[in-house]
Amino acid sequence: LPCGDSYYETAFKVREICRWALNHGHKEMFKTDDDTYVRPERVERSLFANHEFVCRVLPPTDINHPVPYPYGGCGYYLGERMLELAANDKQCVSDPEGDTWARCNTYEDGWIGRVARDAGVSLTDDHRLKLLRYANGDIEGYPWTIEAPAQHNNMIAVCEFPDEKMYEVHRHFEESWT
């Protein structure tokens, strides 16, 4: 993609992903992070069909997230209109000295939340997208299995797992079938 690949350029990457999707005939998309365990078969179009933006909605928290915003890590669904709005956002520029840098900062979820707000697009909260914060990588002792995708629930995604825990999360899902 014609953009940088650093953490500080995630909003630009997501904008370019949206452009790529549209240029390749896609009308919607589900975006997630690499520390997320996702059950793609549970991302059903029919569940999102009447919504332009489905996500885990978080309240405004700071200068980078001044409006309700989607928590990007656990994933979000963009319908056609939202996909086009994100792909064509002219206020997201790559000059950190420019006037619009605050809109398109390092937090892609804050950026896309502003794009939605400015266009009057409502965020639809979906509890099946779950944020579990394990910044230090230690999930021992936390009952994460209650909130992770399993046969007996309808969870779609759960995030912020360190690499070495992904097999454990997948094993939990596989064993929940027995």
Side-chain angles (χ1 to χ4, degrees):
L1 297 174
C3 64
D5 196 33
S6 76
Y7 174 76
Y8 300 103
E9 298 166 297
T10 57
F12 306 114
K13 286 191 282 188
V14 171
R15 183 187 61 192
E16 293 303 323
I17 289 167
C18 292
R19 288 177 176 172
W20 183 94
L22 288 171
N23 289 337
H24 287 82
H26 299 282
K27 303 280 187 205
E28 59 193 346
M29 117 178 167
F30 185 81
K31 179 265 174 204
T32 191
D33 285 356
D34 61 359
D35 62 354
T36 305
Y37 183 77
V38 180
R39 296 304 307 180
E41 72 278 7
R42 293 182 175 186
V43 181
E44 300 175 35
R45 289 181 182 170
S46 62
L47 296 173
F48 299 148
N50 296 321
H51 306 285
E52 283 300 318
F53 203 147
V54 180
C55 57
R56 186 76 214 166
V57 179
L58 297 179
T61 55
D62 55 33
I63 193 168
N64 294 312
H65 300 94
V67 299
Y69 67 100
Y71 185 76
C74 54
Y76 51 80
Y77 164 84
L78 301 177
E80 185 172 7
R81 178 172 175 234
M82 203 45 223
L83 190 59
E84 289 176 1
L85 288 167
N88 297 312
D89 183 26
K90 303 276 190 256
Q91 295 184 48
C92 185
V93 297
S94 59
D95 178 11
E97 304 302 321
D99 292 337
T100 59
W101 179 251
R103 178 182 173 100
C104 195
N105 59 25
T106 59
Y107 305 102
E108 132 272 332
D109 45 13
W111 160 71
I112 205 156
R114 288 186 203 113
V115 170
R117 177 202 60 196
D118 292 352
V121 174
S122 297
L123 306 181
T124 302
D125 191 41
D126 193 324
H127 73 281
R128 298 171 303 151
L129 304 168
K130 185 71 177 174
L131 159 65
L132 301 175
R133 293 188 187 269
Y134 301 114
N136 63 2
D138 180 18
I139 63 172
E140 299 305 322
Y142 184 84
W144 60 268
T145 57
I146 296 168
E147 301 172 288
Q151 182 272 333
H152 60 274
N153 66 31
N154 65 351
M155 298 301 290
I156 294 172
V158 62
C159 73
E160 296 207 5
F161 283 99
D163 295 346
E164 64 275 7
K165 292 292 183 179
M166 282 295 181
Y167 289 112
E168 186 176 340
V169 180
H170 181 66
R171 187 170 43 255
H172 162 72
F173 181 82
E174 289 294 313
E175 291 173 356
S176 74
W177 289 97
T178 58

